[in-house]
Amino acid sequence: MANRTVIPFGPQHPVLPEPIHLDLVIEDEHVVEAIPSFGFIHRGLEKLAEKRDFTEFTFVAERICGICSYIHGMGYCQAIESVMGLEIPERAKWLRTMWAELSRMHSHMMWLGLLGDAFGFENLFMAFWRVREGLLDIIEETSGGRVIFGAAKVGGIRRDVPDDLLARIPAQLAKIEAEMRPITDVFRDDFSVRQRLCGVGVLSQKDAYDLGAVGPVLRGSGVAVDTRLEGYAAYDRVQVEPIVESDGDCWARAMVRIREVYQSFEILKQVLPNVPAGPVDMKVTGAPNGEFFARLEQPRGEVIYYVKGSGKKQLDRFRVRTPTFANIPPLLKMLQGCQLADVPVIVLTIDPCISCAER
Amino acid sequence: MTKHPLKMTKVALENLFQKPATVPYPAVRKPVYAATRGRIAIEEAKCILCLICDKKCPTGAIKVDRPGKTWAIDRLLCIQCGYCVEVCPKKCLGMENLYSPPVSAKAMDVVNVPFTPPPPKPKPPPASATPAATPAPEAGKE
């Protein structure tokens, strides 16, 4: 019987971009149990919603996360619009869909690079981030910001995108897609990548469902759930199919994300030629009175927005459940029985965004 | 599953012999986009010190001093959301596409505004109150 040792992992650790603390109970080199602790970067955003004007809070909502910022802003606006019964203009819906997909692609490509970095494949990391830069240029040219789009607004979008610019984007995307193929092939076929990812951190289909995993973690374990099928924004008019892998290991989660990037290219091919002409925003009068749950698909998984207002300019209650928060229990399950050296890679495969989770 | 074991070698060799993807920054600068949200600029001649930007700024970066006739912004507090540009009734605020230069000390960027408030109107006519400036509802474009 080996001795049990507790190894503290985090909150500051070279591979962790953000502070989460895990107490790893180790037996030999194997993790028996992982005990998380949180609260290093709690920001009190939910309380702030009670002090701000509901339209101004959009800026705060967009800044919940630095990577999936756009969908946070969009989700908040969608929840408020549903409470107030606003039907936003068609052009705004299609442009929101475009930005949501661009946001998903740049988030996934950043993550793929980080995963390469986590198992020591520096060259792959640089390659992904170089290609991602092309996407950030498109985002900056259309919205004005590289990662904080600043384009969400209750009642539509804050800035229109000129039609000639929309017509130029498909050519830029085709170039990015061509640059991406060789490096995603490396992820799929390379021996050392598969050595580090295949069969590591396996989460069974039942566990993924029971523990409430969301997004690529859930789909990587073979459960076909994608909130985009709910048909918010213009997703009811584009073809979206959940990307599912059945292995449930780190490699399956990486494959889900790679295939989702290619899926986003396909979605954008449907969206860009179909953006209708017309206004992009509408006049919003009054204040939200009622409550609503909005569900959206973030790059990291399903995000839930709850807003409750009582006819005042300030909301009564605001709640956001981010995908990382939902993916922590599955992570603890994945860590059971793994090698100590695999812990950083497994933690990274849920695409942790701790500041989102703590809000 | 190692169908093509040298795939990464090919990518790596290509990287080795091609030009750097980055630009040598101070010497060469990337072109900026018209839409880029860089920094807030003010046309002080048009400003009427109405205080709307001061009140609406989500981070409280803008401070307008009416008696002192100054408009000031804390560049490090500003989040470049562009809300002040949208609500400015005189359209004297604008979003430039160049970022603000790096600084070594925190300080407010103070601009003197030459605006002189019109003399108060004579009292007698009761119905004609000076109409307050109304914020324009549509999104501000540069």
Side-chain angles (χ1 to χ4, degrees):
Chain A
M1 177 74 192
N3 281 335
R4 287 197 173 183
T5 330
V6 178
I7 294 189
F9 181 85
Q12 264 73 41
H13 191 280
V15 300
L16 288 177
E18 290 180 69
I20 178 175
H21 176 84
L22 295 170
D23 276 318
L24 301 171
V25 182
I26 304 284
E27 210 175 88
D28 292 336
E29 276 287 297
H30 294 275
V31 177
V32 180
E33 196 187 358
I35 303 152
S37 48
F38 284 97
F40 298 97
I41 38 173
H42 178 66
R43 292 173 287 172
L45 288 179
E46 292 178 356
K47 191 71 188 162
L48 188 62
E50 295 164 23
K51 296 191 174 159
R52 295 274 173 196
D53 189 317
F54 74 96
T55 47
E56 279 169 35
F57 193 74
T58 314
F59 301 119
V60 183
E62 276 206 312
R63 283 160 179 81
I64 289 176
C65 179
I67 296 301
C68 26
S69 71
Y70 184 69
I71 304 182
H72 273 300
M74 176 179 158
Y76 172 76
C77 293
Q78 213 169 289
I80 295 280
E81 283 152 12
S82 306
V83 171
M84 298 176 76
L86 303 174
E87 185 64 33
I88 65 163
E90 280 297 298
R91 188 177 173 84
K93 283 188 184 176
W94 284 85
L95 288 175
R96 278 185 181 187
T97 314
M98 175 191 84
W99 275 321
E101 286 310 311
L102 283 171
S103 155
R104 185 180 324 281
M105 285 154 84
H106 101 81
S107 170
H108 279 351
M109 287 172 78
M110 186 199 80
W111 178 84
L112 286 163
L114 285 178
L115 183 67
D117 189 42
F119 55 71
F121 209 148
E122 202 75 14
N123 205 335
L124 202 56
F125 165 55
M126 295 287 177
F128 269 109
W129 280 45
R130 185 190 63 214
V131 178
R132 172 175 172 256
E133 204 60 31
L135 280 172
L136 293 183
D137 285 345
I138 297 178
I139 292 171
E140 184 172 356
E141 205 173 352
T142 51
S143 73
R146 273 163 59 87
V147 287
I148 304 283
F149 292 33
K153 172 183 177 179
V154 176
I157 53 173
R158 287 181 70 214
R159 63 163 72 219
D160 196 3
V161 181
D163 283 329
D164 59 325
L165 178 55
L166 283 179
R168 256 198 340 265
I169 296 175
Q172 282 168 279
L173 286 175
K175 191 167 155 268
I176 295 170
E177 195 175 350
E179 283 175 6
M180 226 185 118
R181 291 275 170 198
I183 48 175
T184 50
D185 283 355
V186 173
F187 239 106
R188 206 183 55 227
D189 297 335
D190 194 85
F191 177 74
S192 44
V193 173
R194 294 185 71 107
Q195 276 298 99
R196 284 307 303 271
L197 298 183
C198 286
V200 175
V202 180
L203 185 70
S204 70
Q205 188 179 15
K206 185 176 180 305
D207 282 341
Y209 189 80
D210 289 350
L211 293 168
V214 291
V217 178
L218 183 61
R219 293 193 285 275
S221 292
V223 185
V225 173
D226 192 324
T227 325
R228 284 179 288 177
L229 298 174
E230 298 278 311
Y232 58 88
Y235 282 112
D236 48 348
R237 277 153 290 172
V238 295
Q239 210 175 351
V240 188
E241 265 181 39
I243 304 273
V244 182
E245 292 275 338
S246 55
D247 294 349
D249 55 1
C250 291
W251 194 77
R253 291 189 275 279
M255 281 304 115
V256 168
R257 288 186 175 101
I258 288 177
R259 287 172 55 200
E260 278 188 6
V261 176
Y262 289 120
Q263 184 192 39
S264 293
F265 280 117
E266 293 306 316
I267 293 175
L268 284 175
K269 277 177 201 159
Q270 298 172 50
V271 169
L272 289 168
N274 289 324
V275 178
V280 292
D281 62 349
M282 59 194 292
K283 202 167 158 53
V284 179
T285 47
N289 191 357
E291 55 184 339
F292 194 77
F293 267 107
R295 295 165 66 215
L296 290 91
E297 189 72 15
Q298 286 271 29
R300 296 179 162 102
E302 179 185 320
V303 65
I304 294 176
Y305 272 89
Y306 170 72
V307 296
K308 184 180 173 195
S310 56
K312 289 189 306 230
K313 281 284 178 195
Q314 289 84 12
L315 293 175
D316 278 359
R317 181 80 174 93
F318 165 73
R319 165 107 172 100
V320 49
R321 200 230 40 206
T322 58
T324 305
F325 190 76
N327 275 336
I328 297 285
L331 168 71
L332 302 178
K333 180 79 188 168
M334 283 174 218
L335 289 172
Q336 284 172 13
C338 77
Q339 293 265 338
L340 180 60
D342 286 331
V343 171
V345 175
I346 295 174
V347 172
L348 204 72
T349 52
I350 69 157
D351 200 356
C353 180
I354 305 302
S355 61
C356 295
E358 293 183 6
R359 303 173 301 282
Chain B
M1 278 297 284
T2 50
K3 281 177 289 185
H4 306 285
L6 295 179
K7 264 190 181 156
M8 193 63 210
T9 318
K10 188 167 165 278
V11 175
L13 282 175
E14 277 173 10
N15 286 345
L16 199 59
F17 293 108
Q18 73 186 11
K19 279 204 306 186
T22 48
V23 289
Y25 168 61
V28 184
R29 295 190 180 210
K30 260 183 93 174
V32 286
Y33 300 110
T36 302
R37 299 195 308 276
R39 65 178 166 207
I40 299 291
I42 181 168
E43 271 183 70
E44 55 267 36
K46 276 157 83 182
C47 180
I48 54 164
L49 296 170
C50 67
L51 290 166
I52 291 179
C53 53
D54 183 325
K55 289 210 174 70
K56 291 283 183 181
C57 179
T59 59
I62 299 178
K63 290 276 172 282
V64 181
D65 179 9
R66 231 172 176 170
K69 286 208 216 175
T70 57
W71 179 94
I73 184 168
D74 185 341
R75 300 272 178 209
L76 299 178
L77 213 53
C78 174
I79 52 169
Q80 282 88 24
C81 62
Y83 197 39
C84 51
V85 181
E86 275 177 31
V87 296
C88 181
K90 288 284 168 187
K91 297 285 160 229
C92 66
L93 291 176
M95 182 66 83
E96 285 188 342
N97 55 6
L98 290 171
Y99 299 113
S100 31
V103 288
S104 53
K106 281 187 183 178
M108 298 289 277
D109 220 346
V110 184
V111 177
N112 288 313
V113 178
F115 174 69
T116 35
K121 284 188 178 170
K123 287 275 162 87
S128 70
T130 33
T134 46
E138 67 271 3
K141 279 183 198 166
E142 292 157 44

